[in-house]
Amino acid sequence: MDQLSAISEDLAEIDGHIADNFRALSNGFQKLEKIKDSNRQTRQLEDLTEKLRECKRLIKEFDKEVKTLENSFDRETNKMLNEKKQSMIKELNSYVGLKKQYATNIENKRIELFEGPNEGYTEENGLLASSMTNEQLMDHGNRMMDETDQAIERGKKVVQDTINVGTDTAAALKAQTEQMSRVVNELDSIHFSMKKASKLVKEIGRQVATDKCIMALLFLIVIGVIAIIIVKLVHPDNKDIRDIPGLAPPVQNRRLLWSHN
């Protein structure tokens, strides 16, 4: 930083911004490591993606500034600036690869939630930065960021699908709960009606039993009266049999007056 300040204040300022963003990225990935919830991880990864884009923009500005001042510096200074730029690109690519790894892990978790774990999954081997030119490093970093953005978009879609499934499940559970509540209320009503009907049947049974007793008693009384009437008619002179109230006594033997004459 002090060495760049002696060369160019603009380069030193850009380098300072890049260093601040790299520190923010380091702290952000450390924080991401501690987050367990997939939704929060996705949001944190989106914030880190913005930081990576800002770093890429600053590195491009740094490269543009170096090329503008290239003729003003000696060979050693240009070599130092190119090494500085390549170091920045390598560090940026390391964070891009780390972001891609977290995005892939989040996506795999989402996929496992719906389809189960993937078999035979292998990660792609990265290119060695030491064997690549600055332009190749930048292009490689851009491709990695694009792939990571696509993975994040797929993760967002899976999250939205999860939310939709959860909403539909909650609505179905609510409807089933209401249906169960109605069934319970109907069962209570049926139980109350059965108790009431059982009580009414018992009451009717007692009433029928009482009516049968009365009818049997009346039947016995009628049979007794009929028996007395029959005996009275058969043995009218039997004094042991009392007259039935309301029943006329048997007719006595009458003699005609003309028979005495």
Side-chain angles (χ1 to χ4, degrees):
M1 181 77 176
D2 295 335
Q3 190 176 7
L4 287 176
S5 299
I7 298 174
S8 171
E9 292 183 358
D10 292 336
L11 287 176
E13 184 179 357
I14 295 173
D15 181 62
H17 289 320
I18 293 173
D20 291 339
N21 277 278
F22 281 154
R23 280 193 295 271
L25 285 169
S26 177
N27 295 332
F29 279 109
Q30 290 177 4
K31 181 179 178 182
L32 182 63
E33 183 70 27
K34 299 176 182 178
I35 297 175
K36 302 301 180 183
D37 182 66
S38 298
N39 296 332
R40 291 181 58 197
Q41 284 182 340
T42 302
R43 290 194 293 269
Q44 178 69 10
L45 209 57
E46 290 174 357
D47 295 338
L48 293 173
T49 303
E50 293 299 323
K51 291 289 183 186
L52 289 170
R53 290 196 181 101
E54 179 66 15
C55 285
K56 184 174 71 172
R57 184 187 65 80
L58 290 171
I59 291 174
K60 285 183 178 180
E61 286 187 10
F62 186 88
D63 183 53
K64 183 179 179 181
E65 188 70 20
V66 168
K67 288 179 179 179
T68 302
L69 301 174
E70 187 175 8
N71 295 328
S72 303
F73 302 140
D74 55 21
R75 184 177 179 181
E76 290 298 326
T77 302
N78 286 328
K79 182 180 178 182
M80 183 270 292
L81 291 174
N82 284 328
E83 290 176 353
K84 180 70 174 176
K85 180 179 65 174
Q86 188 172 3
S87 174
M88 292 176 180
I89 293 172
K90 288 180 180 179
E91 188 171 0
L92 176 63
N93 284 340
S94 67
Y95 284 121
V96 170
L98 192 60
K99 174 196 166 188
K100 183 177 179 181
Q101 179 182 353
Y102 276 106
T104 302
N105 292 339
I106 292 173
E107 184 180 5
N108 288 339
K109 288 180 181 178
R110 302 294 188 190
I111 294 173
E112 287 176 4
L113 180 63
F114 291 97
E115 301 177 0
N118 293 328
E119 297 293 336
Y121 177 80
T122 57
E123 296 184 356
E124 297 181 355
N125 294 323
L127 296 175
L128 293 175
S130 59
S131 63
M132 301 171 66
T133 64
N134 292 337
E135 293 298 328
Q136 288 175 334
L137 287 170
M138 291 292 292
D139 292 339
H140 181 62
N142 291 336
R143 284 196 303 271
M144 292 178 68
M145 290 185 67
D146 291 339
E147 291 173 0
T148 305
D149 292 340
Q150 292 174 6
I152 290 176
E153 290 300 323
R154 289 194 297 271
K156 285 182 179 179
K157 185 181 178 193
V158 174
V159 170
Q160 187 61 41
D161 293 341
T162 305
I163 293 173
N164 294 336
V165 170
T167 303
D168 295 340
T169 304
L173 286 174
K174 183 178 179 182
Q176 290 180 358
T177 302
E178 292 177 352
Q179 185 177 4
M180 289 294 293
S181 179
R182 289 194 297 269
V183 170
V184 170
N185 292 335
E186 290 176 0
L187 287 175
D188 290 339
S189 300
I190 292 172
H191 182 66
F192 177 76
S193 299
M194 288 181 66
K195 286 180 67 177
K196 191 172 181 181
S198 177
K199 186 176 179 181
L200 185 61
V201 167
K202 289 180 181 179
E203 189 129 344
I204 293 174
R206 285 196 296 269
Q207 202 168 20
V208 168
T210 304
D211 292 343
K212 285 183 177 179
C213 291
I214 295 173
M215 290 177 66
L217 184 59
L218 290 174
F219 179 74
L220 292 175
I221 293 173
V222 171
I223 292 298
V225 170
I226 292 173
I228 293 172
I229 291 172
I230 292 172
V231 171
K232 194 70 174 175
L233 291 175
V234 173
H235 303 286
D237 296 330
N238 191 345
K239 301 300 183 180
D240 294 331
I241 301 174
R242 299 179 58 184
D243 293 334
I244 299 173
L247 185 64
V251 180
Q252 300 293 330
N253 293 332
R254 293 179 296 175
R255 294 180 181 179
L256 295 176
L257 295 174
W258 58 270
S259 63
H260 294 287
N261 294 327

